[in-house]
């Protein structure tokens, strides 16, 4: 077994426009939406995807692919597309037991691979062939340790140990309690820290 992580480079700006529309139609059919509803939703989605503009230096641009950064809808559209990839491709590696464990959070993925059946470079090459617009970057465990999101995972013989990971750029800064921000915003960081502490099996 070996732990690896995958990161999708510039996910939102590289999602294929037509791929998202086709994927939406796939999920609508799979979930038994009627033909008229599917057609209406498809038309709305096509309109939304075509109205993707941004402004830079007083000029307006229209990207060939991708969804708008910061838009409330972008996360949902990314999920629609990535879940289709997982349904069509990743599931095959799981069924063949080449992948023993797979979890994704937005564009960050952690995988347990069976090195007796597949090597990390083989998996990387395979997953990068799925969609030409998307590029996956692989990081393998080093000395049985790997960082995923804000956690450091250490692989022991019969267990995993979980610790806190801080990027080199981390400042440990939170909003000052005397600042003119809503209380919810000032408490958000602490809520996140406490939730992680009580919900994750962090090594003492």
């Amino acid at each position: 077994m070996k732990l690896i992580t995958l990161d999708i480079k510039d996910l939102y700006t590289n999602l294929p426009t037509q791929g998202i529309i086709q994927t939406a139609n796939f999920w609508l059919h799979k979930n038994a939406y009627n033909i008229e509803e599917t057609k209406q939703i498809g038309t709305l989605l096509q309109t939304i995807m075509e109205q993707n503009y941004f402004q830079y230096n007083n000029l307006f641009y229209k990207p060939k692919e991708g969804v708008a950064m910061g838009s409330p809808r972008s996360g949902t559209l990314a999920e629609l597309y990535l879940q289709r990839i997982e349904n069509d491709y990743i599931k095959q590696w799981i069924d063949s037991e080449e992948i023993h464990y797979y979890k994704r959070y937005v564009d960050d993925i952690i995988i347990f691979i069976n090195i007796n059946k597949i090597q990390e470079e083989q998996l990387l090459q395979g997953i990068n062939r799925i969609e030409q617009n998307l590029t996956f970057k692989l990081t393998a465990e080093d000395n049985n340790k790997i960082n995923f999101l804000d956690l450091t995972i250490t692989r022991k013989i019969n267990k995993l140990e979980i610790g806190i990971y801080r990027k080199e750029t981390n400042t440990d800064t939170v909003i000052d309690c005397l600042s003119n921000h809503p209380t919810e915003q000032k408490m958000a960081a602490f809520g996140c820290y406490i939730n992680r502490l009580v919900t994750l099996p962090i090594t003492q």
Side-chain angles (χ1 to χ4, degrees):
M1 295 292 177
K2 191 169 187 178
L3 265 174
I4 63 170
T5 60
L6 294 172
D7 177 66
I8 307 174
K9 182 181 178 183
D10 301 327
L11 170 63
Y12 285 176
T13 55
N14 285 308
L15 286 167
T17 301
Q18 290 305 313
I20 289 174
I21 294 169
Q22 292 167 5
T23 300
N25 287 329
F26 166 81
W27 289 120
L28 290 168
H29 285 299
K30 187 170 183 178
N31 289 282
Y33 278 73
N34 65 47
I35 295 173
E36 189 59 33
E37 286 177 327
T38 299
K39 184 178 178 180
Q40 289 177 0
I41 294 171
T43 301
L44 287 170
L45 185 56
Q46 180 88 39
T47 302
I48 289 170
M49 296 298 295
E50 288 178 353
Q51 303 303 313
N52 184 15
Y53 299 94
F54 68 91
Q55 184 179 6
Y56 179 72
N57 280 347
N58 296 319
L59 295 175
F60 288 91
Y61 298 88
K62 182 179 181 181
K64 292 181 179 179
E65 302 287 359
V67 294
M69 295 288 290
S71 169
R73 69 175 182 263
S74 296
T76 302
L77 296 176
E79 276 299 312
L80 280 174
Y81 192 72
L82 292 177
Q83 286 185 26
R84 176 72 188 274
I85 287 177
E86 291 164 347
N87 184 73
D88 290 352
Y89 299 95
I90 305 300
K91 188 176 182 297
Q92 297 176 20
W93 282 311
I94 295 173
D95 291 343
S96 66
E97 297 184 347
E98 293 169 302
I99 291 178
H100 273 276
Y101 180 85
Y102 174 98
K103 287 293 176 184
R104 176 178 57 82
Y105 180 77
V106 189
D107 59 351
D108 292 301
I109 304 165
I110 187 166
I111 301 174
F112 253 124
I113 63 170
N114 183 349
I115 56 175
N116 293 322
K117 292 191 172 184
I118 192 170
Q119 296 298 312
E120 63 258 36
E121 285 303 322
Q122 290 176 279
L123 180 66
L124 180 64
Q125 290 172 13
I127 202 168
N128 272 325
R129 283 196 293 265
I130 294 173
E131 167 54 57
Q132 63 178 1
N133 286 1
L134 300 182
T135 302
F136 293 77
K137 178 186 174 185
L138 183 146
T139 302
E141 64 179 61
D142 183 24
N143 196 26
N144 294 338
K145 288 186 177 183
I146 198 163
N147 299 317
F148 180 66
L149 301 177
D150 61 349
L151 301 175
T152 295
I153 302 170
T154 304
R155 186 166 58 86
K156 300 289 186 178
I157 294 175
N158 57 357
K159 65 177 181 177
L160 296 176
E161 290 186 353
I162 299 177
I164 305 299
Y165 169 65
R166 292 279 188 261
K167 293 183 178 180
E168 293 180 359
T169 54
N170 182 69
T171 62
D172 282 326
T173 302
V174 296
I175 300 174
D176 191 285
C177 65
L178 299 178
S179 69
N180 189 26
H181 284 76
T183 303
E184 316 86 70
Q185 292 181 9
K186 291 188 276 193
M187 293 303 295
F190 299 102
C192 176
Y193 297 153
I194 293 168
N195 180 67
R196 178 179 59 189
L197 180 66
V198 298
T199 58
L200 295 176
I202 296 173
T203 306
Q204 188 172 358

